[in-house]
Amino acid sequence: MSPRHDAAGLLGPGGELSKALPGYEHRPSQLELAREIERVLETRGTLLAEAGTGTGKTLAYLVPAALSGRKVVVSTATKTLQDQVFQKDIPLLRDTVGLPFEAAYLKGRNNYLCAHRFEAFDKSPAFATREEAALWPGLRDWALGTQTGDRAEADLPDAFAAWRQLSTTSETCLGSRCPLFEPCFVTRARRRAENADVLVVNHHLFFADLALKSRPGADGAAVLPRYEAVVFDEAHALEDVATDYFGVQVSSFRVDDLATDALSALPPSDERSGMLSALALTVRARAEALFTAAPAVLGVAANEGAVRLTPETGARLSAAADQFGEALAGLAALAAGGDEPELVSVRRRAGELAEELRFVLEASAENHVYWAEPRGRGLSLRAAPIEVADELQKRLYGSVDTVVFTSATLTAQGKFDFFARRMGVSLAGEGVRALAVGSPFDFERQAALYLPTHLPEPNDPEFPRAVADEVVALAEVTGGRAFVLFTSLRNMEAVHRLAAPRLACRALLQGERPKAALLDAFRAEPSVLFAAHSFWEGVDVPGAALSLVIIDKLPFASPGDPLVAARIDAHRARGEDPFSAYQVPDAAIALRQGFGRLIRTRSDRGVVALLDRRVTSRAYGRAFLASLPKMRRLGHRDAFRAFFEDGRPR
Ligand code: SF4
């Protein structure tokens, strides 16, 4: 490797990037991380690498990946980050620095325009609302001219319902039997992916691929091309995604999609069409009977959380499930009589639905948890592995010899043990290394932690009112410029209702408009944004626009969630204390994510206000404080005010 062609030659002082980019700042922690990733790509193994905010970890993994000569998949937590890596960081290395490597990105199938469905839709477009219809001329022009078919280019509202008619899922795509398979955008994106040295995907697609490949009877089916190494960015988010994809989900929506596709699978002139439609309508009616009966039988209430399923409760639905299963079998049998791609798809999906419904309602597989949850106006019956460590051993580590996990938050109390265990990695194992590189930010100078002790405990009925008072008082000092992050939508709404009318600045609320539009509004004018889960991570507001992050409660996962309850039980069954072994470290990592919203550049300055008094009144609070960077602590509003007054130019 020539000096230019190693991580130091590119990222180090006097390296290629410093020559190409005016104002480039060499960051020793970035180079340390890049060297470690370079080493693992060369020698094989597993690396757990925590890189504090501002390290520049994207380039720290992209440079070694591009130089490695191996086929590397980079997986990000969100499509936004995926687009950023592909559109910003990769061009920097290829075009500005001239690093010779092929890169491509791949998203889930439903992100691409389906050429086959577009042809049918264009003949008689139908929309749920006038607003959607008004977008059609522009969308049609884009569809006729796009080179990628990637929905992100079309700039559609998140909730654009007609996209379902214009795209496919792995369930509904006709695959190689499709008449437009060759010019299909998905086919072309996959070909680019096959030829790439660095392929950028997201965790959802990565685990969809892993789940598909390891399914019994998969017969070589795969979403991703063969790869030699994988780098997971934002790796703290992996467990949730893996749990979803290694589980199964039978929803009323899925049945409805199947019935809709079966109804249009054959032209009306086909003599089998009448019978197929009748069977599709029977499937729909029996599913409706099942999903209408299920909430009362299982005790699921609208707007409430999930309810755990047991073999006993599942059996109470067996009559309706058997009837539904018979209807699915009838549909599959008729569809098996033809080799049209639409019929082949209907037969496969009807068979899978019947099989998965049986699996969920039996609720008997070892190490699995089963539950029912409301989903919009529908219902979802679900099963998932309680822990994914064993699944990852079987499905991931057995098939790829180089795995890098990186994130700004992998450790709790400075240790990797919790994350490693959840991922099924033994820190003492051969070829396993762990590295934590610090943030270049000076938290002791730039940040402070406000820990008031005058609020009631979070389970006190007066807590929302006290939080609202505190938000109003703190926002008055900062002139807004604050995120208020909640652990539940209910508390978010309650506090917003109480505080918003009393604020001197604008109040924004998660859900009132799309996330990107909320962030634009937040940056444009001093505001207080009331938000829950989706703003705890992956949100970047550098500068004075965000000077205060208020966190209402320690972010413990709800023990009412069947998956969390099952994990707690699993720890207990092993003779461990679930609180210290699972709930506290899990919440500490989540808290670090929320904290990480505050300081995004070296010149940012601000306060995180943690309103949950348990962090100082309970012994376990120390584990949370030990997980945050060292910084000044403020106990009173006067000290809080002084922090901001000190920072103002005099
Ligand atoms: S292969 Fe699938 S996604 Fe592509 S055009 Fe055909 S049906 Fe649509």
Side-chain angles (χ1 to χ4, degrees):
M1 216 178 261
S2 72
R4 176 188 190 268
H5 286 141
D6 65 10
L10 271 117
L11 297 166
E16 296 298 315
L17 270 158
S18 70
K19 286 181 207 149
L21 297 176
Y24 175 82
E25 257 180 65
H26 156 62
R27 284 170 273 191
S29 53
Q30 181 186 46
L31 185 55
E32 190 184 352
L33 174 63
R35 281 198 167 124
E36 200 62 43
I37 295 175
E38 189 169 69
R39 187 193 333 241
V40 76
L41 284 169
E42 210 175 304
T43 58
R44 320 294 194 250
T46 303
L47 173 67
L48 283 65
E50 179 173 281
T53 339
T55 308
K57 69 176 156 38
T58 310
L59 287 180
Y61 60 71
L62 276 182
V63 165
L67 295 175
S68 68
R70 304 182 74 194
K71 174 125 187 164
V72 181
V73 166
V74 167
S75 181
T76 63
T78 60
K79 282 183 275 178
T80 312
L81 183 58
Q82 187 184 3
D83 287 339
Q84 194 182 307
V85 170
F86 189 76
Q87 286 162 14
K88 187 173 142 250
D89 300 290
I90 287 181
L92 178 70
L93 293 181
R94 272 202 316 206
D95 308 335
T96 312
V97 180
L99 213 55
F101 68 104
E102 288 297 323
Y105 75 87
L106 198 57
K107 296 180 180 173
R109 197 186 289 276
N110 63 347
N111 289 280
Y112 296 91
L113 180 75
C114 166
H116 185 56
R117 289 188 161 217
F118 172 75
E119 271 190 6
F121 188 85
D122 193 29
K123 287 186 188 129
S124 53
F127 300 92
T129 63
R130 237 183 269 158
E131 289 76 25
E132 289 213 352
L135 294 171
W136 177 238
L139 178 58
R140 189 174 181 277
D141 283 352
W142 166 78
L144 294 170
T146 176
Q147 292 300 306
T148 65
D150 183 348
R151 174 190 169 146
E153 289 176 1
D155 204 17
L156 289 170
D158 292 351
F160 186 73
W163 185 257
R164 279 177 71 145
Q165 315 294 319
L166 291 164
S167 61
T168 58
T169 60
S170 55
E171 293 234 295
T172 55
C173 169
L174 305 177
S176 57
R177 292 160 171 268
C178 172
L180 294 178
F181 183 71
E182 283 305 317
C184 163
F185 293 115
V186 179
T187 309
R188 280 151 60 192
R190 287 186 171 188
R191 297 228 166 103
R192 287 193 293 273
E194 272 164 26
N195 295 325
D197 305 307
V198 175
L199 173 61
V200 187
V201 304
N202 54 65
H203 297 343
H204 289 268
L205 190 69
F206 187 88
F207 281 97
D209 176 66
L210 210 55
L212 177 65
K213 274 183 193 151
S214 46
R215 206 153 61 182
D219 201 21
V223 179
L224 301 184
R226 195 190 54 80
Y227 53 87
E228 297 168 291
V230 57
V231 177
F232 292 112
D233 194 352
E234 307 271 301
H236 62 274
L238 281 178
E239 187 179 16
D240 287 348
V241 183
T243 303
D244 274 356
Y245 282 88
F246 294 157
V248 297
Q249 180 165 180
V250 178
S251 68
S252 35
F253 297 101
R254 190 171 154 196
V255 180
D256 209 51
D257 281 352
L258 171 65
T260 304
D261 289 344
L263 284 168
S264 60
L266 291 172
S269 55
D270 191 300
E271 58 179 13
R272 297 161 298 171
S273 152
M275 181 58 89
L276 187 70
S277 298
L279 287 167
L281 292 174
T282 307
V283 163
R284 191 176 264 165
R286 301 240 175 119
E288 205 178 314
L290 171 70
F291 284 109
T292 307
V297 172
L298 304 173
V300 180
N303 302 324
E304 290 294 331
V307 170
R308 205 155 165 179
L309 278 173
T310 62
E312 293 71 41
T313 54
R316 286 186 216 139
L317 282 173
S318 63
D322 288 348
Q323 295 229 320
F324 175 50
E326 274 168 26
L328 285 170
L331 182 67
L334 187 101
D339 60 1
E340 291 86 345
E342 288 84 354
L343 287 185
V344 172
S345 161
V346 165
R347 186 191 48 161
R348 177 180 52 78
R349 290 159 62 194
E352 284 171 2
L353 253 176
E355 176 59 26
E356 292 178 14
L357 179 68
R358 189 195 53 73
F359 178 75
V360 176
L361 292 182
E362 278 182 10
S364 60
E366 223 183 298
N367 303 328
H368 275 65
V369 56
Y370 301 83
W371 73 98
E373 66 187 18
R375 214 184 121 199
R377 277 180 293 159
L379 182 80
S380 203
L381 301 169
R382 302 189 57 179
I386 296 170
E387 277 160 3
V388 294
D390 289 347
E391 299 290 331
L392 290 173
Q393 289 283 358
K394 275 189 283 192
R395 306 192 204 209
L396 178 64
Y397 310 128
S399 64
V400 61
D401 64 13
T402 309
V403 181
V404 176
F405 298 100
T406 186
S407 166
T409 56
L410 292 186
T411 63
Q413 289 181 268
K415 295 192 189 126
F416 285 97
D417 301 54
F418 173 70
F419 176 78
R421 191 170 172 197
R422 305 300 307 170
M423 292 290 107
V425 174
S426 162
L427 288 169
E430 202 184 324
V432 176
R433 291 171 72 99
L435 168 81
V437 294
S439 165
F441 303 149
D442 180 355
F443 289 103
E444 288 189 68
R445 189 183 54 80
Q446 294 180 252
L449 189 60
Y450 171 55
L451 301 171
T453 50
H454 61 270
L455 277 85
E457 290 232 342
N459 59 1
D460 189 304
E462 279 304 304
F463 185 68
R465 186 168 300 282
V467 172
D469 290 347
E470 202 65 25
V471 167
V472 172
L474 301 185
E476 191 215 300
V477 174
T478 55
R481 304 185 293 148
F483 275 5
V484 194
L485 300 179
F486 296 88
T487 54
S488 77
L489 288 172
R490 189 178 292 175
N491 263 17
M492 175 187 86
E493 281 157 8
V495 174
H496 173 262
R497 216 174 15 251
L498 294 165
R502 296 161 55 202
L503 287 170
C505 64
R506 183 171 57 172
L508 299 167
L509 179 66
Q510 175 181 316
E512 68 185 9
R513 49 185 124 166
K515 187 172 173 183
L518 270 180
L519 285 171
D520 285 345
F522 183 84
R523 290 186 188 106
E525 179 186 324
S527 312
V528 175
L529 170 66
F530 296 78
H533 301 103
S534 65
F535 284 78
W536 279 75
E537 39 189 277
V539 172
D540 189 23
V541 182
L546 178 61
S547 300
L548 170 63
V549 173
I550 302 173
I551 290 173
D552 75 329
K553 284 189 206 176
L554 291 171
F556 286 112
S558 164
D561 176 334
L563 195 54
V564 176
R567 287 178 180 159
I568 290 173
D569 291 347
H571 279 280
R572 246 185 229 124
R574 290 195 290 261
E576 296 165 354
D577 169 26
F579 192 63
S580 57
Y582 165 56
Q583 291 164 279
V584 168
D586 181 67
I589 289 177
L591 178 69
R592 296 183 64 208
Q593 274 295 326
F595 174 85
R597 298 313 100 219
L598 182 70
I599 303 294
R600 310 300 297 173
T601 73
R602 281 182 210 256
S603 55
D604 285 6
R605 195 167 181 277
V607 171
V608 168
L610 184 49
L611 306 188
D612 188 335
R613 62 184 297 170
R614 294 175 299 177
V615 78
T616 46
S617 67
R618 305 287 174 89
Y620 60 75
R622 282 199 291 275
F624 287 92
L625 295 175
S627 295
L628 295 175
K630 264 207 190 121
M631 73 197 110
R632 220 184 310 171
R633 292 193 193 157
L634 316 171
H636 301 280
R637 277 192 208 155
D638 290 348
F640 177 88
R641 185 181 291 278
F643 178 91
F644 283 97
E645 285 173 356
D646 284 354
R648 280 186 197 142
R650 289 172 195 263

